[in-house]
Amino acid sequence: MSFAKEPAYKHGQLPRTGVLLVNLGTPDAPTPSALRRYLAQFLSDPRVVEIPPLVWKVILHGIILRVRPAKSAEKYASIWTHEGSPLRVWTEKQTTLLQGFIGEAGHHVVVEHAMRYGMPSIAQTLDKLKAQGCNRILVVPMYPQYSGATTASVMDEVFSWGRNIRALPELRYISRFHDDSAYIDALAASVREHWQANGQADKLVMSFHGMPQRTLELGDPYHCECLKTGRLVAERLGLTAEQYVVTFQSRFGKAKWLEPYTEPTLKQLAKAGVKRVDVICPGFVADCIETLEEIAMEGKQAFLSNGGQAFHYIPCLNDRADWIRALTKLVETHLQGWPTQGAQQPGNHDLIQQRDRALAAGAKV
């Protein structure tokens, strides 16, 4: 077996600590060809689709990749910005902000980001961190609630990269932060600010990404962690059980998924006489296709077309300063015991200035 070439080593080179933020991923462009590449990688992950490989390969390449890319491209085109994919834009801003906040806290670390599917890839970014002298790397899957299909899939890719590396860095990862107090506080603050500006809805809907029901039955903790996040946010906001509901979106295929489903719930609420709903997606820390198109567009249409009068989507945490502070504290906790003080990384003042410029460009303090 051959291993990847190690980066050049310089005597006296100080070791560095790296932090790698990883989000789900995005196609390179809102086109059928780009979606085909992206979906082929995403839907070929056995963590994502737990169907016998030979059977699934026929379905994926014989049906799904012939039909779905064009439909998905239209959805992506509806949310694409002049800067590119919203998920990529927000993840890049979060990386810059975290670098500045954690530098201001006195930690000299290198912060990079990667996508589980698409670019920049996990392997490429880990190579980049090694090339910068990082011999300790904290991997931060940007999924608050743990699932085998998300957090574990990220670590599968990290370990796959590691099989080709001769001099492995020390590795840690954050498995979940669904009940982290500062994360919950940031979610509650975003809702509270929305209510202060727009008034409070009759019902707060907290929509999480769905997973097949069988994953819960097989021991995946995702469902329980979503419910706990929802309960904690409701407690922070002083809501009764009747004032909010936790739902699950993004069903795929005919199998039973976690319930209640988001779109049918929105329709039922409208038909039951609920005039206004506010919807937040606590499982996503950055706005993306699932929030901006599926919820803010399709969900809105489902509610209003069934008798609802007002639908408000509350954005993800994105570049909110309270969220980046929460992320900073989370990273600091998991870096404990690793040397992050001192002159490991030059130019820390420049990184803080980058953070400040990003905040001035639109982050909420």
Side-chain angles (χ1 to χ4, degrees):
M1 179 176 179
S2 60
F3 297 97
K5 184 179 179 181
E6 287 293 315
Y9 176 77
K10 298 179 182 178
H11 283 287
Q13 177 178 311
L14 292 173
R16 284 176 164 179
T17 296
V19 175
L20 176 60
L21 306 183
V22 185
N23 217 317
L24 181 74
T26 177
D28 295 324
T31 63
S33 59
L35 262 297
R36 191 171 293 109
R37 291 192 301 272
Y38 173 72
L39 291 173
Q41 183 187 13
F42 176 40
L43 296 176
S44 294
D45 187 343
R47 290 277 194 181
V48 173
V49 181
E50 296 186 50
I51 294 176
L54 291 179
V55 175
W56 178 240
K57 187 174 182 179
V58 172
I59 297 172
L60 178 61
H61 293 276
I63 302 174
I64 294 173
L65 293 181
R66 294 175 183 269
V67 177
R68 193 175 177 92
K71 294 180 179 179
S72 295
E74 292 180 4
K75 294 178 182 292
Y76 272 97
S78 71
I79 62 144
W80 213 258
T81 74
H82 70 278
E83 295 178 275
S85 164
L87 179 65
R88 176 171 288 128
V89 171
W90 289 124
T91 303
E92 289 173 353
K93 289 183 178 180
Q94 290 169 347
T95 303
T96 299
L97 290 167
L98 177 62
Q99 180 76 81
F101 271 79
I102 203 164
E104 191 171 59
H107 301 285
H108 299 271
V109 301
V110 183
V111 182
E112 298 285 354
H113 73 276
M115 300 295 179
R116 174 60 184 89
Y117 314 102
M119 303 298 288
S121 72
I122 290 174
Q124 289 175 327
T125 311
L126 287 170
D127 284 341
K128 183 178 179 181
L129 286 169
K130 266 185 64 74
Q132 294 179 75
C134 295
N135 67 347
R136 299 177 182 86
I137 299 174
L138 172 66
V139 181
V140 188
M142 299 290 270
Y143 311 114
Q145 297 77 27
Y146 176 94
S147 173
T150 54
T151 307
S153 179
V154 166
M155 295 314 297
D156 284 346
E157 193 69 6
V158 172
F159 298 145
S160 178
W161 168 82
R163 286 198 295 268
N164 298 312
I165 300 302
R166 183 179 301 278
L168 277 170
E170 293 181 49
L171 291 167
R172 293 179 183 173
Y173 77 100
I174 297 177
S175 65
R176 54 181 44 84
F177 52 93
H178 66 289
D179 57 357
D180 177 77
S181 180
Y183 154 71
I184 298 296
D185 285 341
L187 287 171
S190 72
V191 176
R192 200 174 293 114
E193 289 171 13
H194 179 81
W195 286 348
Q196 289 171 350
N198 303 281
Q200 185 171 336
D202 304 318
K203 183 83 75 169
L204 177 65
V205 178
M206 299 191 223
S207 181
F208 293 82
H209 197 286
M211 288 295 297
Q213 175 70 22
R214 71 185 296 268
T215 62
L216 170 62
E217 297 165 356
L218 290 172
D220 197 300
Y222 178 75
H223 178 258
C224 297
E225 294 185 3
C226 290
L227 294 182
K228 185 172 184 180
T229 297
R231 176 176 59 80
L232 292 174
V233 171
E235 288 176 358
R236 290 290 202 283
L237 294 170
L239 299 179
T240 65
E242 291 73 30
Q243 291 177 296
Y244 79 97
V245 60
V246 170
T247 63
F248 297 90
Q249 64 186 83
S250 308
R251 280 185 294 162
F252 180 77
K254 297 181 179 180
K256 183 178 180 180
W257 282 47
L258 298 177
E259 294 179 325
Y261 303 141
T262 299
E263 186 170 311
T265 298
L266 290 170
K267 292 178 179 179
Q268 291 166 8
L269 289 172
K271 291 176 181 178
V274 174
K275 300 302 181 184
R276 172 184 156 184
V277 295
D278 291 340
V279 185
I280 188 171
C281 298
F284 300 89
V285 297
D287 273 311
C288 56
I289 187 73
E290 286 87 352
T291 65
L292 297 174
E293 196 280 334
E294 185 178 354
I295 296 300
M297 294 181 186
E298 292 184 4
K300 179 178 181 178
Q301 178 62 27
F303 183 71
L304 297 181
S305 63
N306 283 275
Q309 294 183 1
F311 178 102
H312 290 211
Y313 168 64
I314 301 172
C316 290
L317 295 174
N318 294 329
D319 60 352
R320 289 180 59 96
D322 52 5
W323 153 236
I324 304 300
R325 291 191 187 98
L327 183 59
T328 300
K329 291 179 181 177
L330 191 68
V331 167
E332 283 183 298
T333 298
H334 287 266
L335 288 176
Q336 288 184 20
W338 279 357
T340 61
Q341 307 293 328
Q344 288 192 38
Q345 179 177 310
N348 211 47
H349 178 68
D350 293 337
L351 296 170
I352 295 172
Q353 287 186 325
Q354 288 179 28
R355 184 278 312 270
D356 291 341
R357 286 195 294 270
L359 281 172
K364 297 178 180 178
V365 179

